[in-house]
Amino acid sequence: MRMKTREVHIGNKVIGNGNPILIQSMTNTKTRDVESTVSQILELEKAGCDIIRCACPTMEDAEAIKEIKKRIHIPLVADIHFDYRLALKAIECGADKIRINPGNIGSKERIQAVVDKCRERNIPIRVGVNSGSLEKDLVEKYGGVTAEGLVESALDKVKLIEDMGYDNLVISIKSSDVLMAVKAHKLISGLTDHPLHVGITEAGTVFSGNIKSAIGLSMILNEGIGDTIRVSLSGDPRLEVESAKIILRTLGLRKGGVEIVSCPTCGRTQIDLIDLANRAEEMVRDIPVDCKVAVMGCVVNGPGEAREADFGIAGGNNEGLVIRHGEIIRKVPEDELLPALRDELIKFAGEKGVKI
Ligand code: SF4
């Protein structure tokens, strides 16, 4: 059961109030380099990114949003630190949402100026707090950086903006400590109905970051908490999107798309399974039908072990099998396995009324 949160519109997307959980990522190009930024965003769109965030550390970056917005199709969030004038410029240039930490924007007047501009355009503000920048008084009050301190900090900032007469807000609480992040999300979701953007910050490199994010996000999402997510990785942002999709699908929070499962390989493996599974995953990316495909390493046990999947492929001794619910439906030369699987998936999509 998802927690009830308010509906918030971010460009052409809607979050909260039971709407699907959306996937965010962040560009790692210089935002002012419009060509590179647009090309990365288009790649991310293709990978399944729903909302993109771009850092705007300079005026040139904030100004670039105008041109970038013309060439992309998903909402753009401008990420602003310290200088409220950058936020004002980003909003003027068409940002669909602003991410600020009011704590580092400075005086109340400056925050008010950003809030007024957002109100003028009716765009949401993401109020973000981060364990790395928790206020000293809260660190002292709670005897260190704690989930309680993070929650109090976030709610203080929300109140500050609400008192300025604006409540089109999304909250994010970030901690690289997974269990602290989980606790903070559980605490805050009982205290506010603003939508929550969920992520484990500075999760790490692709391998360990994926594991930490999967653990943290799953524990949070499984409580019904979260309206948008980001998997933060020190790596290609497309991997962030792929990982987020897998996490949502595994938790039953997103449908659509082919899920590839593959056998772990063993002494009976008769085919280059790792390469085959990777190529299969790549091949099914553009097939939007909801099903599971098992990629198995031998023709003896493969069909049986693939029974739980909708489709399977198994290879060995130059022979390839295409399997549907455990039954062999085609025998092809090994190097024709993937095209044969693709044919069957497209036929299956047709049966389901899915147009490709
Ligand atoms: Fe081993 Fe075949 Fe099972 Fe893969 S499908 S783990 S190769 S027995």
Side-chain angles (χ1 to χ4, degrees):
M1 184 69 179
R2 301 257 316 272
M3 291 283 183
K4 184 107 174 105
T5 51
R6 300 183 197 186
E7 195 164 282
V8 165
H9 292 247
I10 307 166
N12 56 8
K13 300 273 163 56
V14 186
I15 62 160
N17 192 26
N19 280 292
I21 297 167
L22 298 187
I23 297 171
Q24 290 199 26
S25 186
M26 191 166 181
T27 48
N28 58 10
T29 54
K30 299 284 179 217
T31 305
R32 57 185 172 276
D33 177 352
V34 173
E35 290 308 318
S36 309
T37 304
V38 166
S39 117
Q40 188 170 58
I41 296 173
L42 295 178
E43 285 293 320
L44 288 166
E45 285 183 11
K46 228 194 291 168
C49 180
D50 299 305
I51 299 171
I52 191 68
R53 179 156 57 110
C54 299
C56 297
T58 69
M59 209 38 103
E60 227 186 320
D61 294 302
E63 278 163 359
I65 289 178
K66 196 170 191 172
E67 188 55 31
I68 295 168
K69 277 283 299 171
K70 286 185 200 156
R71 294 162 58 183
I72 64 170
H73 315 91
I74 55 175
L76 186 151
V77 184
D79 190 277
I80 309 290
H81 284 284
F82 308 114
D83 189 344
Y84 78 109
R85 290 166 302 185
L86 298 173
L88 300 182
K89 179 55 78 181
I91 300 165
E92 274 166 25
C93 290
D96 299 293
K97 180 180 163 199
I98 291 289
R99 187 260 175 166
I100 53 168
N101 176 349
N104 68 31
I105 290 292
S107 69
K108 237 177 157 178
E109 290 69 36
R110 290 177 176 185
I111 299 169
Q112 179 82 60
V114 177
V115 170
D116 288 345
K117 196 71 154 178
C118 286
R119 186 191 294 113
E120 210 179 289
R121 309 268 171 138
N122 196 25
I123 65 166
I125 301 174
R126 175 177 141 199
V127 182
V129 296
N130 194 312
S131 58
S133 56
L134 186 63
E135 292 84 350
K136 264 197 198 133
D137 58 326
L138 290 173
V139 174
E140 272 163 28
K141 178 175 172 185
Y142 290 102
V145 177
T146 62
E148 289 80 0
L150 286 171
V151 169
E152 188 170 329
S153 172
L155 292 178
D156 281 351
K157 293 178 176 87
V158 166
K159 184 163 183 321
L160 178 81
I161 297 177
E162 283 178 340
D163 287 348
M164 293 176 175
Y166 199 58
D167 65 357
N168 190 2
L169 304 175
V170 175
I171 303 174
S172 73
I173 296 184
K174 296 287 186 76
S175 171
S176 53
D177 179 320
V178 173
L179 296 180
M180 189 191 295
V182 173
K183 188 172 175 192
H185 282 89
K186 284 188 190 172
L187 284 173
I188 202 164
S189 75
L191 299 170
T192 179
D193 62 356
H194 290 298
L196 294 174
H197 170 69
V198 182
I200 304 299
T201 196
E202 294 135 25
T205 54
V206 171
F207 185 70
S208 57
N210 262 328
I211 295 172
K212 279 168 78 174
S213 291
I215 293 171
L217 286 171
S218 302
M219 289 172 83
I220 295 166
L221 293 169
N222 214 30
E223 295 287 327
I225 302 166
D227 298 284
T228 58
I229 63 168
R230 178 183 178 203
V231 174
S232 300
L233 298 175
S234 306
D236 184 335
R238 275 179 304 183
L239 297 174
E240 297 189 350
V241 174
E242 290 298 330
S243 302
K245 275 160 69 180
I246 293 171
I247 291 169
L248 290 178
R249 239 185 349 229
T250 306
L251 294 169
L253 292 167
R254 185 172 275 223
K255 294 233 174 293
V258 180
E259 180 187 357
I260 296 285
V261 296
S262 52
C263 82
T265 72
C266 72
R268 295 183 196 87
T269 310
Q270 295 164 323
I271 197 167
D272 184 354
L273 192 277
I274 297 169
D275 176 61
L276 184 66
N278 280 315
R279 284 191 294 129
E281 203 157 59
E282 195 58 45
M283 186 201 75
V284 301
R285 263 183 225 284
D286 62 335
I287 303 179
V289 70
D290 193 13
C291 70
K292 192 186 268 191
V293 172
V295 181
M296 311 307 275
C298 69
V299 288
V300 184
N301 291 0
E305 291 186 16
R307 191 166 289 131
E308 280 180 32
D310 299 291
F311 289 92
I313 51 173
N317 303 331
N318 298 321
E319 189 180 52
L321 306 179
V322 181
I323 303 146
R324 188 165 177 178
H325 293 300
E327 300 296 326
I328 297 167
I329 54 169
R330 277 174 80 171
K331 274 191 192 176
V332 293
E334 206 176 278
D335 57 359
E336 288 173 24
L337 249 182
L338 288 183
L341 172 66
R342 190 174 173 85
D343 282 356
E344 293 304 322
L345 288 172
I346 289 172
K347 256 193 251 166
F348 181 65
E351 288 165 25
K352 296 270 173 194
V354 177
K355 283 202 185 108
I356 298 178

